[in-house]
Amino acid sequence: MNQPTETPLAVPVAVYRERRERVLAAMRAAGGGVAVVPTAPEVLRNRDTDYPYRHDSYFYYLSGFTEPQAFVVLDADAGAGEPASILFCRTKNAEREIWEGFHFGPEAAREAFGFDAAFPIDNLDTEMPRLLANAPALHYGFGRSIELDEQVRRWLDAVRAQSRSGVVPPTSLVDITPTLDDMRLFKDAHEHAVMRRAAQISAEAHRRAMAVCRPGMREHELEAELLYTFRRRGAQAPAYGSIVAAGANACVLHYPAGNAALRDGELVLIDAACELDGYAADITRTFPANGRFSPAQRELYDIVHAAQQAAIDATRAGVPFEAPHDAAVRVLAQGLLDTGIIARERYSSADDVVAERAYTRFYMHRTGHWIGMDVHDCGDYRERGAARDANGALPWRTLRAAMTLTIEPGLYVRAAEDVPERYWDIGIRIEDDAIVTELGCELITRDVPVLADEIEALMRNA
C-alpha cells in the first residue's frame, strides 16, 4: 500500500532524556549493569500485509521513537566519554522510504531523540556482547518474549566464549519492568497535556454519537461516527476496540460493535476512546436510543451516576486504590435493594449485600484501573513488598498526586425471574478519566454530558 512521505513531528527531547537518566540512576543504585528495552515487532495480518504498527509502550516511554525494529540500550557503567544511552534502529534507505515514508536513520534519530549514540539495528548482535562484557547485571523484561530471551542467550553465549581472555558475562538478570512500571504510574506535565487532548477528542466523538443516534441505526454506524471523529481530530487510532452495545448487548461487558439495530425504548452503551501520541483515553456513556430515558432506565441510571459521584468524591491522594470502589459499591448495593432487584427478604441492609458480595451478580468488575500509554496501564495495584494481612493479601496501593485512573461503576441486569421485569436487559456504565490531586481529582473527560437531563437535552437539540 503506497504511503506519502511524512516529516517527523517535534519531539520533547528533554522529557525522554530525563526518563532515561532516572532509569540509569536506579540501575547504578542497584549495582550497575546494562538495560535492554526493545520495541514491538511488526505482525503479519495476512499474506504480505501487516497489522497497523504500534510501538511498545515501555520503549516509547524511554525514547519517543515510533519506528519498528529498534532497541533502547542503557549502560549504567559507561565511563567518561562513553555513551550511556544508545538507540539501535533501521538505517536510512531511500528505496524503502518510497514505499513506507520517512525513516530517521541512526544519526538523525540520535540527534532528534537525545541519545548519546545510535547504531544500525543490523549491528545489534555485534555491539551487545561488547556492551555486556564484564557488566555486573543485565536488566530486561525476561519472560515477555521468546524471541528476545533467545536473542539474549546468544549475546551471553558470545560473551562466555571470551572467558579465556578474562571476559565474564553478567552474573545476574534483573527484571526492569517494575522500575519502569513505578515511573509510568506517575504522569508528568507532558503526559497530562497529551491525555487531556485525547480526552477532549474522545468526548467530542461521544457527543457526535449521541447527536446522530436514532432508532433503526446499527451499532456499527455509531462506531463509524466515533472513528471518524478520532481521525478527523488528529488521533492516530482507537485506544481499544470500541464497544457499542444496544439493548441487552450492554450487559456483555466487552461486547464489540456489531450489526444489531438500535430499537426505540432501549439504551445504547458506548465504551470508546482514542489514542493520541501514544496515550489513551477511556470513556463510557449510556443513553437512550430515542433520546428519552424510560422511568426504569432513569432510575438505574441515577443510581450508577450517584455511585460514580461517590467514587469521585473518594478519589484523592492518600487513600487506598480501593477506596473509590468501596464507595461506589455501597451506593450500588443500596440502589439494588431500593429497586427490589436484590430482595430485602434475603438482605436487610446494604451492608449485608456488600458483605456477602451479592451485588457482583449485577456489578462484576472493579470501579477503575490505571490509564496512560495503555488503556489498562501498567503499575501494581497493591503495595509490592509490604506486610500481608491475616488473609495473606498485600495492602492496596495508596493513591498519589499525578497518578491517572478511570472511575467507571455500572449495573448490568439480565432478564431473570427473580428480577422485576421493568429492569430486564438494562446495562449501564458511566466512565471518566481522572488525574489524582492532593485534595481530590481532576476529571478530564467531562466534555461529554453525564447527567441524564443533559444527555436528553443534547439529543433533543441535535
Side-chain angles (χ1 to χ4, degrees):
M1 183 179 295
N2 294 347
Q3 297 179 352
T5 300
E6 296 181 359
T7 55
L9 299 175
V11 178
V13 179
V15 170
Y16 302 106
R17 184 185 291 121
E18 188 272 339
R19 291 172 184 169
R20 294 193 294 268
E21 288 298 329
R22 286 172 60 193
V23 175
L24 285 164
M27 292 168 61
R28 293 181 184 116
V34 175
V36 179
V37 181
T39 195
E42 295 172 292
V43 180
L44 190 68
R45 182 183 186 276
N46 62 317
R47 195 170 171 85
D48 59 353
T49 302
D50 290 340
Y51 282 101
Y53 182 72
R54 205 275 187 181
H55 53 262
D56 175 79
S57 294
Y58 291 111
F59 174 88
Y60 182 77
Y61 183 77
L62 295 175
S63 68
F65 191 70
T66 60
E67 295 180 21
Q69 277 194 295
F71 276 73
V72 167
V73 177
L74 303 176
D75 185 357
D77 305 312
E82 296 180 333
S85 65
I86 304 168
L87 176 70
F88 289 85
C89 65
R90 288 173 172 173
T91 57
K92 293 287 286 183
N93 185 317
E95 183 175 353
R96 191 165 191 165
E97 289 188 13
I98 291 172
W99 294 91
E100 299 176 355
F102 176 86
H103 292 296
F104 277 93
E107 188 56 35
R110 181 195 62 77
E111 183 176 352
F113 297 90
F115 284 88
D116 297 333
F119 299 109
I121 189 66
D122 292 343
N123 292 11
L124 182 68
D125 287 339
T126 300
E127 292 292 329
M128 283 308 302
R130 180 184 65 79
L131 291 167
L132 291 174
N134 300 315
L138 171 60
H139 302 249
Y140 85 105
F142 51 83
R144 296 179 64 211
S145 162
I146 294 175
E147 292 76 13
L148 179 60
D149 288 345
E150 177 60 26
Q151 202 166 15
V152 167
R153 187 192 65 78
R154 293 198 301 269
W155 298 337
L156 295 177
D157 284 347
V159 178
R160 294 187 185 104
Q162 304 174 58
S163 61
R164 293 186 180 181
S165 302
V167 176
V168 296
T171 55
S172 63
L173 295 179
V174 181
D175 187 359
I176 196 173
T177 307
T179 298
L180 295 177
D181 285 350
D182 285 348
M183 287 176 58
R184 286 177 55 187
L185 197 54
F186 295 86
K187 273 60 176 182
D188 57 35
H190 166 72
E191 292 176 293
H192 285 160
V194 177
M195 291 180 70
R196 287 188 184 98
R197 179 58 183 150
Q200 291 169 355
I201 294 170
S202 301
E204 180 181 337
H206 276 261
R207 293 197 308 271
R208 181 181 179 90
M210 289 178 182
V212 304
C213 181
R214 298 290 184 275
M217 293 181 70
R218 301 283 177 172
E219 292 165 336
H220 63 77
E221 292 181 76
L222 283 186
E223 181 189 27
E225 301 291 342
L226 299 165
L227 300 178
Y228 168 73
T229 305
F230 296 163
R231 290 298 286 141
R232 183 169 64 95
R233 291 302 187 192
Q236 287 82 14
Y240 51 95
S242 300
I243 297 169
V244 181
N249 293 335
C251 294
V252 180
L253 297 185
H254 287 171
Y255 176 86
N259 194 44
L262 282 53
R263 295 191 291 188
D264 195 4
E266 291 187 336
L267 295 179
V268 181
L269 185 155
I270 295 182
D271 185 341
C274 71
E275 177 177 290
L276 176 70
D277 297 341
Y279 288 84
D282 191 359
I283 301 177
T284 306
R285 291 293 186 268
T286 310
F287 54 93
N290 63 11
R292 298 178 305 279
F293 287 94
S294 72
Q297 292 167 352
R298 177 65 179 261
E299 194 176 3
L300 293 190
Y301 188 91
D302 287 347
I303 291 170
V304 175
H305 180 255
Q308 193 200 32
Q309 189 58 55
I312 291 167
D313 294 342
T315 302
R316 62 184 179 277
V319 305
F321 174 84
E322 186 76 340
H325 179 70
D326 288 342
V329 163
R330 284 191 292 273
V331 174
L332 295 173
Q334 186 62 57
L336 289 167
L337 281 176
D338 292 343
T339 56
I341 294 174
I342 288 181
R344 284 192 178 274
E345 291 79 9
R346 296 190 59 189
Y347 303 95
S348 60
S349 69
D351 289 341
D352 292 340
V353 174
V354 173
E356 297 192 30
R357 295 179 54 80
Y359 65 88
T360 58
R361 176 181 169 189
F362 308 101
Y363 179 48
M364 58 291 294
H365 60 80
R366 307 206 70 79
T367 302
H369 55 77
W370 306 129
I371 186 170
M373 286 187 166
D374 302 316
V375 67
H376 293 162
D377 211 26
C378 63
D380 293 330
Y381 289 95
R382 294 184 180 269
E383 297 285 359
R384 184 190 296 261
R388 297 179 181 272
D389 64 18
N391 297 318
L394 292 169
W396 290 99
R397 190 156 200 159
T398 301
L399 295 181
R400 301 297 182 196
M403 291 178 171
T404 51
L405 70 160
T406 64
I407 303 175
E408 51 172 311
L411 283 176
Y412 313 91
V413 185
R414 295 174 179 271
E417 290 183 359
D418 60 343
V419 172
E421 187 174 353
R422 63 185 179 276
Y423 302 121
W424 283 7
D425 292 332
I426 294 178
I428 297 170
R429 183 165 63 252
I430 307 171
E431 178 180 20
D432 285 289
D433 302 344
I435 300 173
V436 179
T437 66
E438 291 294 345
L439 301 178
C441 65
E442 174 195 349
L443 299 179
I444 62 175
T445 46
R446 281 298 177 88
D447 287 343
V448 56
V450 67
L451 293 174
D453 288 341
E454 294 176 346
I455 290 172
E456 288 184 342
L458 184 155
M459 299 183 72
R460 182 171 59 249
N461 299 327

